[in-house]
Amino acid sequence: MKAKIAVLPGDGIGEEVMAQALRVMAQVSEQFGIKFETTSGLVGGAAYEKYGSHLPDETIALCKGSDAILFGSVGGPVSEMNLPKWKNCEANSILSLRKNFKFNVNLRPVKVLPELAELCPLRDEIINKGVDILFVRELLGDCYFGEHKTFKQADGKRAATDQSIYTEDQVASVAHAAFKAARKRRNKVTSVDKANVLDTSKLWREIVHEVGKEYPDVTLEDMLVDNCAMQIIRDPSQFDVVVTTNMFGDILSDAAAVLPGSLGLMASASLNEDGFGLFEPPGGSAQDIAGTGKANPIAQILSLALLLRFALSQEEAAQAVETAVAASLNAGYRTADIVGSRGKSAGTESGAADGGESIKLVDTVGMTDSIIKNLASIKTLLRV
Ligand code: IPM
Ligand code: MG
């Protein structure tokens, strides 16, 4: 099969981790016979320098002509946030892409891998029950795309409003996505809202239940967002699929992202109703470590796996990439963000460095080398 991929590395660690994901892509191509045609485009601060825009028309056109978008990260260093190059950079690039391509469903899997359990801030007896949650976040409604206004009141004091809207079609679409996803997992959907206060949430709850009738095999429960925030920390094993509104999904998925131990392990998919998608690590541009070789490439590599699964329906290849990542972690390969207490004494080297005990502290390239090696051996096993 052939696939045209728009590659948008962006800023900060985006370039360096994307380069590693492309190496993995080349290996996938060789093993699974997928012909990738990749074209790079500028986005974020990198685009602003050349075009004066965080999301230039050239980049939108490139995405339009592609089968999927592999996205890195955007945003500048905290100390330079007010420079034109970085001002509103994330919102201008990410939100505009969502709006342009009508990406209404955002999938964020959160898993605690047993081999990385020591990085999870929760106690063993809580995480031993297993943490494997899929956040399904609505992406185009709520207060994100309603009218934003800052104004002066009659008394001269400043005020601001952000309008929050949900239509029944918007809710139904994301609810279907959640129920379908649950059918491929553990058949449970937790719908999170604030229906004790908000009209948008009352509508949300009503529509999710209407849609739920079409999925009688899936258990549906409602949870108020404040309670959910608590439950994610108290007992995350109770969740399978969590479906929620744009703003609540933004906050809860970041809170849950702490559980696996590092944002460098998180991948996400944003999809529209035609199945077109953008695949990105939601962890940000990590400007503080950009260029040091320390960035964890796993989030970008797992985003490639999601691209293979959702954009290209290459489930076997997607699983192979995920298995290769797990095998590297199992073998003790660690970038600095996931090294934990056992590997603290290990020095960073590119490639298979031997560190403290069985932990091997590696850099961005070293981690990818190991993943590619594992990927190659998976195919050998499948062939047998
Ligand atoms: C995310 C981000 C974005 C959001 C920001 C950068 C606009 O936090 O993808 O979660 O709020 O959706
Ligand atoms: Mg966020």
mmCIF file of all heavy atoms in Angstrom, residues 3 30 45 53 66 79 101 128 160 180 219 229 234 259 267 276 278 286 294 300 303 310 321 323 336 350 353 373:
data_model
loop_
_atom_site.group_PDB
_atom_site.id
_atom_site.type_symbol
_atom_site.label_atom_id
_atom_site.label_comp_id
_atom_site.label_asym_id
_atom_site.label_seq_id
_atom_site.Cartn_x
_atom_site.Cartn_y
_atom_site.Cartn_z
ATOM 1 N N ALA A 3 1.081 5.480 1.078
ATOM 2 C CA ALA A 3 0.478 6.474 1.963
ATOM 3 C C ALA A 3 1.269 7.774 1.907
ATOM 4 O O ALA A 3 2.491 7.772 2.002
ATOM 5 C CB ALA A 3 0.454 5.939 3.387
ATOM 6 N N GLU A 30 9.833 -1.120 5.235
ATOM 7 C CA GLU A 30 10.586 -2.287 4.764
ATOM 8 C C GLU A 30 9.904 -3.597 5.173
ATOM 9 O O GLU A 30 9.776 -4.525 4.388
ATOM 10 C CB GLU A 30 11.984 -2.220 5.380
ATOM 11 C CG GLU A 30 12.983 -3.152 4.746
ATOM 12 C CD GLU A 30 14.351 -2.903 5.350
ATOM 13 O OE1 GLU A 30 14.829 -1.750 5.256
ATOM 14 O OE2 GLU A 30 14.905 -3.828 5.937
ATOM 15 N N GLY A 45 6.273 28.142 15.677
ATOM 16 C CA GLY A 45 7.272 29.201 15.583
ATOM 17 C C GLY A 45 8.147 29.036 14.349
ATOM 18 O O GLY A 45 8.555 30.013 13.711
ATOM 19 N N SER A 53 3.177 33.402 9.993
ATOM 20 C CA SER A 53 1.946 32.756 10.449
ATOM 21 C C SER A 53 2.323 31.431 11.095
ATOM 22 O O SER A 53 3.245 30.755 10.654
ATOM 23 C CB SER A 53 1.024 32.514 9.252
ATOM 24 O OG SER A 53 0.126 31.451 9.527
ATOM 25 N N SER A 66 -2.725 14.988 1.801
ATOM 26 C CA SER A 66 -2.099 13.818 2.425
ATOM 27 C C SER A 66 -3.139 12.856 2.988
ATOM 28 O O SER A 66 -4.303 13.203 3.150
ATOM 29 C CB SER A 66 -1.177 14.258 3.570
ATOM 30 O OG SER A 66 -0.230 15.182 3.096
ATOM 31 N N SER A 79 10.506 31.927 28.651
ATOM 32 C CA SER A 79 11.025 33.293 28.772
ATOM 33 C C SER A 79 10.751 34.152 27.531
ATOM 34 O O SER A 79 10.896 35.362 27.566
ATOM 35 C CB SER A 79 12.533 33.230 29.011
ATOM 36 O OG SER A 79 13.151 32.541 27.934
ATOM 37 N N PHE A 101 -9.692 21.020 9.704
ATOM 38 C CA PHE A 101 -9.936 19.634 9.272
ATOM 39 C C PHE A 101 -11.072 18.971 10.050
ATOM 40 O O PHE A 101 -11.285 17.773 9.940
ATOM 41 C CB PHE A 101 -8.636 18.822 9.370
ATOM 42 C CG PHE A 101 -7.618 19.286 8.368
ATOM 43 C CD1 PHE A 101 -6.597 20.141 8.745
ATOM 44 C CD2 PHE A 101 -7.730 18.918 7.034
ATOM 45 C CE1 PHE A 101 -5.682 20.615 7.812
ATOM 46 C CE2 PHE A 101 -6.814 19.376 6.097
ATOM 47 C CZ PHE A 101 -5.788 20.231 6.486
ATOM 48 N N ASN A 128 -1.362 -1.750 40.823
ATOM 49 C CA ASN A 128 -1.309 -3.180 40.510
ATOM 50 C C ASN A 128 -2.616 -3.720 39.962
ATOM 51 O O ASN A 128 -2.666 -4.783 39.344
ATOM 52 C CB ASN A 128 -0.882 -3.986 41.744
ATOM 53 C CG ASN A 128 0.603 -3.800 42.025
ATOM 54 O OD1 ASN A 128 1.325 -3.260 41.179
ATOM 55 N ND2 ASN A 128 1.061 -4.215 43.196
ATOM 56 N N ALA A 160 -14.672 39.632 30.988
ATOM 57 C CA ALA A 160 -14.445 38.765 29.816
ATOM 58 C C ALA A 160 -15.456 37.637 29.825
ATOM 59 O O ALA A 160 -15.898 37.202 30.896
ATOM 60 C CB ALA A 160 -13.031 38.210 29.843
ATOM 61 N N LYS A 180 -17.828 2.836 20.269
ATOM 62 C CA LYS A 180 -17.140 1.917 19.340
ATOM 63 C C LYS A 180 -15.776 1.521 19.904
ATOM 64 O O LYS A 180 -15.370 0.362 19.808
ATOM 65 C CB LYS A 180 -16.969 2.585 17.975
ATOM 66 C CG LYS A 180 -18.272 2.587 17.196
ATOM 67 C CD LYS A 180 -18.117 3.145 15.809
ATOM 68 C CE LYS A 180 -19.478 3.182 15.132
ATOM 69 N NZ LYS A 180 -19.648 4.352 14.271
ATOM 70 N N THR A 219 -21.420 -0.962 28.989
ATOM 71 C CA THR A 219 -21.904 -0.348 30.233
ATOM 72 C C THR A 219 -21.614 1.146 30.193
ATOM 73 O O THR A 219 -20.487 1.556 29.895
ATOM 74 C CB THR A 219 -21.160 -0.954 31.450
ATOM 75 O OG1 THR A 219 -21.305 -2.364 31.379
ATOM 76 C CG2 THR A 219 -21.703 -0.434 32.756
ATOM 77 N N ALA A 229 -11.946 13.763 38.606
ATOM 78 C CA ALA A 229 -10.566 14.201 38.870
ATOM 79 C C ALA A 229 -10.019 13.448 40.083
ATOM 80 O O ALA A 229 -8.858 13.016 40.102
ATOM 81 C CB ALA A 229 -10.545 15.704 39.126
ATOM 82 N N ARG A 234 -7.546 8.302 42.845
ATOM 83 C CA ARG A 234 -7.901 7.358 43.912
ATOM 84 C C ARG A 234 -7.905 5.913 43.420
ATOM 85 O O ARG A 234 -7.408 5.016 44.061
ATOM 86 C CB ARG A 234 -9.278 7.714 44.462
ATOM 87 C CG ARG A 234 -9.550 7.212 45.858
ATOM 88 C CD ARG A 234 -10.995 7.489 46.264
ATOM 89 N NE ARG A 234 -11.935 6.718 45.468
ATOM 90 C CZ ARG A 234 -12.264 5.455 45.711
ATOM 91 N NH1 ARG A 234 -11.741 4.830 46.735
ATOM 92 N NH2 ARG A 234 -13.121 4.825 44.933
ATOM 93 N N LEU A 259 0.218 9.483 35.366
ATOM 94 C CA LEU A 259 0.255 8.087 35.826
ATOM 95 C C LEU A 259 1.327 7.242 35.132
ATOM 96 O O LEU A 259 2.047 6.500 35.798
ATOM 97 C CB LEU A 259 -1.134 7.436 35.693
ATOM 98 C CG LEU A 259 -2.265 8.148 36.445
ATOM 99 C CD1 LEU A 259 -3.599 7.449 36.197
ATOM 100 C CD2 LEU A 259 -1.967 8.217 37.931
ATOM 101 N N ALA A 267 0.865 9.312 23.483
ATOM 102 C CA ALA A 267 0.562 9.605 22.080
ATOM 103 C C ALA A 267 -0.917 9.961 21.975
ATOM 104 O O ALA A 267 -1.713 9.568 22.819
ATOM 105 C CB ALA A 267 0.844 8.380 21.225
ATOM 106 N N PHE A 276 -9.982 10.993 8.599
ATOM 107 C CA PHE A 276 -8.696 11.682 8.405
ATOM 108 C C PHE A 276 -8.178 12.097 9.778
ATOM 109 O O PHE A 276 -8.961 12.479 10.650
ATOM 110 C CB PHE A 276 -8.900 12.903 7.509
ATOM 111 C CG PHE A 276 -7.627 13.668 7.208
ATOM 112 C CD1 PHE A 276 -6.608 13.070 6.479
ATOM 113 C CD2 PHE A 276 -7.455 14.967 7.659
ATOM 114 C CE1 PHE A 276 -5.429 13.768 6.204
ATOM 115 C CE2 PHE A 276 -6.287 15.670 7.390
ATOM 116 C CZ PHE A 276 -5.281 15.066 6.661
ATOM 117 N N LEU A 278 -4.826 13.517 12.614
ATOM 118 C CA LEU A 278 -3.546 14.104 13.003
ATOM 119 C C LEU A 278 -3.047 13.332 14.229
ATOM 120 O O LEU A 278 -3.807 13.076 15.162
ATOM 121 C CB LEU A 278 -3.744 15.578 13.334
ATOM 122 C CG LEU A 278 -2.548 16.362 13.866
ATOM 123 C CD1 LEU A 278 -2.661 17.827 13.401
ATOM 124 C CD2 LEU A 278 -2.446 16.346 15.384
ATOM 125 N N ALA A 286 8.811 21.011 24.938
ATOM 126 C CA ALA A 286 9.911 20.792 25.898
ATOM 127 C C ALA A 286 11.173 21.555 25.507
ATOM 128 O O ALA A 286 12.261 20.982 25.401
ATOM 129 C CB ALA A 286 10.198 19.293 26.040
ATOM 130 N N LYS A 294 18.312 14.522 24.911
ATOM 131 C CA LYS A 294 17.686 13.808 26.032
ATOM 132 C C LYS A 294 16.231 13.458 25.763
ATOM 133 O O LYS A 294 15.637 12.666 26.507
ATOM 134 C CB LYS A 294 17.714 14.689 27.289
ATOM 135 C CG LYS A 294 19.043 14.697 27.992
ATOM 136 C CD LYS A 294 18.869 15.372 29.353
ATOM 137 C CE LYS A 294 20.211 15.638 29.989
ATOM 138 N NZ LYS A 294 20.227 16.805 30.837
ATOM 139 N N GLN A 300 6.476 10.193 20.155
ATOM 140 C CA GLN A 300 6.355 10.419 18.708
ATOM 141 C C GLN A 300 6.256 9.092 17.963
ATOM 142 O O GLN A 300 5.499 8.956 17.001
ATOM 143 C CB GLN A 300 7.563 11.232 18.218
ATOM 144 C CG GLN A 300 7.403 11.779 16.809
ATOM 145 C CD GLN A 300 6.412 12.945 16.754
ATOM 146 O OE1 GLN A 300 6.585 13.951 17.413
ATOM 147 N NE2 GLN A 300 5.362 12.802 15.966
ATOM 148 N N SER A 303 2.886 7.745 18.425
ATOM 149 C CA SER A 303 1.939 8.508 17.590
ATOM 150 C C SER A 303 1.945 7.940 16.173
ATOM 151 O O SER A 303 0.910 7.892 15.502
ATOM 152 C CB SER A 303 2.308 9.998 17.558
ATOM 153 O OG SER A 303 2.233 10.553 18.858
ATOM 154 N N PHE A 310 -5.120 4.016 12.877
ATOM 155 C CA PHE A 310 -6.359 4.739 12.581
ATOM 156 C C PHE A 310 -6.422 5.336 11.185
ATOM 157 O O PHE A 310 -7.489 5.413 10.592
ATOM 158 C CB PHE A 310 -6.590 5.842 13.619
ATOM 159 C CG PHE A 310 -6.902 5.310 14.987
ATOM 160 C CD1 PHE A 310 -6.003 5.436 16.024
ATOM 161 C CD2 PHE A 310 -8.102 4.649 15.236
ATOM 162 C CE1 PHE A 310 -6.287 4.935 17.285
ATOM 163 C CE2 PHE A 310 -8.402 4.146 16.489
ATOM 164 C CZ PHE A 310 -7.488 4.288 17.516
ATOM 165 N N VAL A 321 4.957 -1.934 16.211
ATOM 166 C CA VAL A 321 5.677 -0.771 16.744
ATOM 167 C C VAL A 321 5.474 -0.695 18.258
ATOM 168 O O VAL A 321 6.433 -0.503 19.023
ATOM 169 C CB VAL A 321 5.204 0.543 16.067
ATOM 170 C CG1 VAL A 321 5.802 1.757 16.761
ATOM 171 C CG2 VAL A 321 5.586 0.544 14.582
ATOM 172 N N THR A 323 4.739 -3.109 20.311
ATOM 173 C CA THR A 323 5.442 -4.221 20.952
ATOM 174 C C THR A 323 6.940 -3.941 21.021
ATOM 175 O O THR A 323 7.603 -4.250 22.016
ATOM 176 C CB THR A 323 5.195 -5.527 20.154
ATOM 177 O OG1 THR A 323 3.791 -5.689 20.012
ATOM 178 C CG2 THR A 323 5.769 -6.741 20.847
ATOM 179 N N ALA A 336 16.293 9.891 29.900
ATOM 180 C CA ALA A 336 16.451 10.515 31.220
ATOM 181 C C ALA A 336 15.120 10.720 31.948
ATOM 182 O O ALA A 336 15.054 10.609 33.179
ATOM 183 C CB ALA A 336 17.165 11.857 31.068
ATOM 184 N N SER A 350 24.820 7.069 23.488
ATOM 185 C CA SER A 350 24.006 6.715 22.346
ATOM 186 C C SER A 350 24.210 5.232 22.089
ATOM 187 O O SER A 350 25.320 4.742 22.100
ATOM 188 C CB SER A 350 24.457 7.523 21.130
ATOM 189 O OG SER A 350 23.617 7.232 20.061
ATOM 190 N N ALA A 353 24.019 1.409 25.893
ATOM 191 C CA ALA A 353 24.931 1.646 27.008
ATOM 192 C C ALA A 353 24.512 0.810 28.201
ATOM 193 O O ALA A 353 23.343 0.601 28.435
ATOM 194 C CB ALA A 353 24.904 3.112 27.389
ATOM 195 N N LYS A 373 15.617 -2.155 16.327
ATOM 196 C CA LYS A 373 16.158 -3.520 16.406
ATOM 197 C C LYS A 373 15.064 -4.511 16.813
ATOM 198 O O LYS A 373 14.901 -5.580 16.221
ATOM 199 C CB LYS A 373 17.306 -3.542 17.432
ATOM 200 C CG LYS A 373 18.441 -4.472 17.054
ATOM 201 C CD LYS A 373 19.609 -4.303 18.008
ATOM 202 C CE LYS A 373 19.653 -5.483 18.964
ATOM 203 N NZ LYS A 373 20.441 -5.278 20.160
#
